[in-house]
């Protein structure tokens, strides 16, 4: 392991690799700092699976502390129909919904929980809109650790049930995600629990997310995609992918970075608003909202710097931010299922849903290679498309039902 310390991205203060959520001097975001031997090549451990193939790029020292359910090595599949409809000839979907708990969260949570075990922790707490709670609960169960989950009161029943199935203590926080975030942060500071919330609170989480970049380079046979489109709330998945590609470039494995595109729900889109206004500051979303894409419905209240961090990653890559209306989100989920065979929750569909708008604005081009991240499985939260099933009692009834569905 070549991880040496944590460093504040705002004031530069450094810390030992420990249980920290933010800089105690300025409240800034902490990131892991590595010291790789000069000239050391980028290597993979062929004896390991998933994200742990890149263990010397992760902040877990001993293999004995690994907590794994087989996360990572998710499929990259080419588009069958949406590529033609959107005019993007080389379009791929990175199936993060194929991770063990059904979402991309498993990458970062696996690293966070493994580091928590290495630090001797026995209790985890997480604020989540659903997926991070299910993931943390699963990995806590695997590690034999206690798990406390704080979710907004409007969270999908399927996601809450998943966390409870793994033995987590689940509490519903009144209001939106920012309230759950504040409660989990207060509890972690008061009780000394490890906070695995997948904003930027846990510095080890980002390290798991960066393995998406490593895998994409391998799956595209050493070719860098022109654009990677990512659903974003606070945005550590996108920032992690940026970090991964930057590390690859620093090692001389690649010579350019992909453009990173963040996608939000227009109903709650603080990063999109800042991008459109050409502002370096991201302000919290103060208007009440509801959205089908609950996983990105993050107003960033009290942690606006998370949005700034994500926006910087986007701008540094030459990328952009898009926002979808509710009907566009609904249509994206139905289209992925009906036209690509991809069963995804609404939040996971918005990257694909943004393609037409990006193409019209000239932010992606016909001959470019574009990767959309499908971040969560439809079994967690899905918008039903198509017509309602009909009861039939004869072959004639069956034929009428089939013809009716074709016309619909």
């Amino acid at each position: 392991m070549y991880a040496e310390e944590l460093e504040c991205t705002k004031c530069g203060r450094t810390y030992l690799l420990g249980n920290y959520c933010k800089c105690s001097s300025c409240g800034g975001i902490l990131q892991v700092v590595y010291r790789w031997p000069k000239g050391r090549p980028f290597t993979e451990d062929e004896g390991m699976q998933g994200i742990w193939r890149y263990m010397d790029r992760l902040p877990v020292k001993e293999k004995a502390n690994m907590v794994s359910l087989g996360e990572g090595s998710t499929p990259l599949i080419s588009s069958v129909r949406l590529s033609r409809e959107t005019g993007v000839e080389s379009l791929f979907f990175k199936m993060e919904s194929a991770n063990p708990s059904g979402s991309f969260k498993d990458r970062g949570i696996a690293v966070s929980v493994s580091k928590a075990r290495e630090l001797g922790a026995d209790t985890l707490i997480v604020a989540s809109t659903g997926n991070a709670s299910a993931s943390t609960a699963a990995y806590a169960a695997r590690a034999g650790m206690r798990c406390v989950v704080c979710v907004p009161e409007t969270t999908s029943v399927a996601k809450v049930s998943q966390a409870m199935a793994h033995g987590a203590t689940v509490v519903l926080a009144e209001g939106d995600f920012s309230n759950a975030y504040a409660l989990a942060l207060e509890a972690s500071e008061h009780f000394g629990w490890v906070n695995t919330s997948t904003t930027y609170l846990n510095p080890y989480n980002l390290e798991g997310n960066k393995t998406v970049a490593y895998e994409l380079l391998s799956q595209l046979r050493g070719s860098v995609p022109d654009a990677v489109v990512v659903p974003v709330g606070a945005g550590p998945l996108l920032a992690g992918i940026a970090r991964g590609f930057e590390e690859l470039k620093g090692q001389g494995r690649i010579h350019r970075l992909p453009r990173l595109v963040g996608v939000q729900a227009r109903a709650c889109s603080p990063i999109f608003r800042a991008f459109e206004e050409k502002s370096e500051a991201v302000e919290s979303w103060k208007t009440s909202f509801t959205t089908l894409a609950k996983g990105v419905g993050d107003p960033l209240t009290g942690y606006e710097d998370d949005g700034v961090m994500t926006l910087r990653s986007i701008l540094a890559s030459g990328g952009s931010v898009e926002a979808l209306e509710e009907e566009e989100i609904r249509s994206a989920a139905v289209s992925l299922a009906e036209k690509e065979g991809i069963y995804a929750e609404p939040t996971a569909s918005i990257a694909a849903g943004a393609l037409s708008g990006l193409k019209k604005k000239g932010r992606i081009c016909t001959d470019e290679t574009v990767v959309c991240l499908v971040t969560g499985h439809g079994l967690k939260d899905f918008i039903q498309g198509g017509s309602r099933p009909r009861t039939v009692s004869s072959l004639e009834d069956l034929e009428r039902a089939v013809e009716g569905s074709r016309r619909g």
Side-chain angles (χ1 to χ4, degrees):
M1 182 191 78
Y2 298 103
E4 286 201 350
E5 59 192 9
L6 300 174
E7 182 178 66
C8 177
T9 57
K10 185 180 287 186
C11 73
R13 180 175 175 179
T14 59
Y15 300 80
L16 297 176
L17 296 175
N19 180 20
Y20 301 99
C21 287
K22 54 187 178 180
C23 178
S24 59
S25 295
C26 70
I29 294 168
L30 300 176
Q31 280 195 343
V32 179
V33 176
Y34 295 85
R35 299 279 188 266
W36 288 297
K38 207 166 187 179
R40 177 178 172 80
F42 189 99
T43 59
E44 297 181 26
D45 187 336
E46 300 293 340
M48 304 294 282
Q49 294 183 333
I51 68 171
W52 302 103
R53 291 171 65 89
Y54 313 102
M55 190 161 181
D56 69 352
R57 304 262 153 183
L58 297 174
V60 180
K61 185 177 181 180
E62 301 291 342
K63 289 183 179 180
N65 293 317
M66 283 172 37
V67 182
S68 179
L69 289 165
E71 57 289 333
S73 296
T74 56
L76 181 70
I77 63 173
S78 59
S79 172
V80 177
R81 294 170 64 185
L82 289 182
S83 59
R84 295 196 297 270
E85 291 188 10
T86 59
V88 181
E89 293 176 354
S90 185
L91 174 62
F92 295 87
F93 301 106
K94 180 65 167 161
M95 300 297 292
E96 290 301 286
S97 53
N99 275 300
S101 79
S103 84
F104 78 95
K105 301 288 187 179
D106 292 349
R107 291 180 186 269
I109 295 298
V111 176
S112 298
V113 175
S114 296
K115 193 62 186 179
R117 172 189 268 179
E118 195 157 81
L119 294 171
D122 61 6
T123 302
L124 310 170
I125 187 166
V126 60
S128 170
T129 54
N131 282 332
S133 67
S135 181
T136 298
Y139 284 85
R142 184 75 171 172
M145 301 170 76
R146 184 169 60 159
C147 179
V148 180
V149 167
C150 301
V151 296
E153 54 191 337
T154 57
T155 300
S156 160
V157 173
K159 293 179 181 178
V160 172
S161 298
Q162 191 176 357
M164 293 177 68
H166 294 304
T169 299
V170 177
V171 296
L172 304 178
E174 293 183 356
D176 57 33
F177 175 74
S178 290
N179 294 341
Y181 173 99
L183 179 60
L185 178 58
E186 184 180 10
S188 63
E189 291 175 339
H190 182 78
F191 297 114
W193 298 341
V194 171
N195 193 324
T196 63
S197 299
T198 54
T199 52
Y200 289 90
L201 273 183
N202 190 304
Y204 309 111
N205 180 275
L206 197 76
E207 303 307 297
N209 291 336
K210 73 185 182 185
T211 60
V212 171
Y214 304 159
E215 289 180 16
L216 286 177
L217 187 67
S218 176
Q219 290 169 321
L220 293 172
R221 299 182 180 181
S223 176
V224 178
D226 295 288
V228 180
V229 189
V230 187
V232 296
L237 173 59
L238 185 146
I241 294 171
R243 186 171 172 88
F245 278 113
E246 286 162 2
E247 288 182 357
L248 289 166
K249 189 170 184 288
Q251 286 279 307
R253 288 284 301 278
I254 61 176
H255 302 291
R256 65 178 179 87
L257 302 174
R259 300 191 306 278
L260 299 175
V261 180
V263 186
Q264 299 201 290
R266 192 175 287 271
C268 179
S269 49
I271 300 174
F272 171 74
R273 180 177 59 192
F275 177 80
E276 289 291 293
E277 294 175 354
K278 296 181 172 55
S279 172
E280 294 182 0
V282 176
E283 297 181 358
S284 62
W285 196 261
K286 296 181 173 59
T287 308
S288 61
F289 67 92
T290 56
T291 178
L292 294 167
K294 300 179 184 69
V296 294
D298 189 342
L300 301 178
T301 304
Y303 47 102
E304 293 83 356
D305 280 353
D306 284 23
V308 173
M309 187 87 161
T310 300
L311 183 58
R312 284 177 181 167
S313 294
I314 291 168
L315 296 176
S317 75
S320 59
V321 189
E322 291 295 313
L324 300 189
E325 301 288 356
E326 293 304 293
E327 188 50 44
E328 293 176 303
I329 296 170
R330 181 184 300 278
S331 176
V334 173
S335 291
L336 269 182
E338 292 185 349
K339 297 175 181 178
E340 297 286 357
I342 296 173
Y343 191 43
E345 62 178 329
T347 298
S349 307
I350 63 175
L355 291 172
S356 294
L358 289 167
K359 183 75 164 42
K360 287 176 183 175
K361 293 176 181 178
R363 291 174 178 167
I364 55 175
C365 301
T366 300
D367 60 351
E368 291 187 318
T369 297
V370 178
V371 176
C372 291
L373 265 72
V374 179
T375 50
H377 203 284
L379 289 172
K380 291 168 173 285
D381 184 16
F382 186 69
I383 300 168
Q384 188 63 50
S387 57
R388 294 177 62 84
R390 300 182 188 183
T391 301
V392 300
S393 58
S394 67
L395 185 61
E396 290 77 13
D397 285 350
L398 174 62
E399 185 177 20
R400 282 193 293 270
V402 170
E403 290 302 318
S405 65
R406 285 176 179 170
R407 288 193 297 270

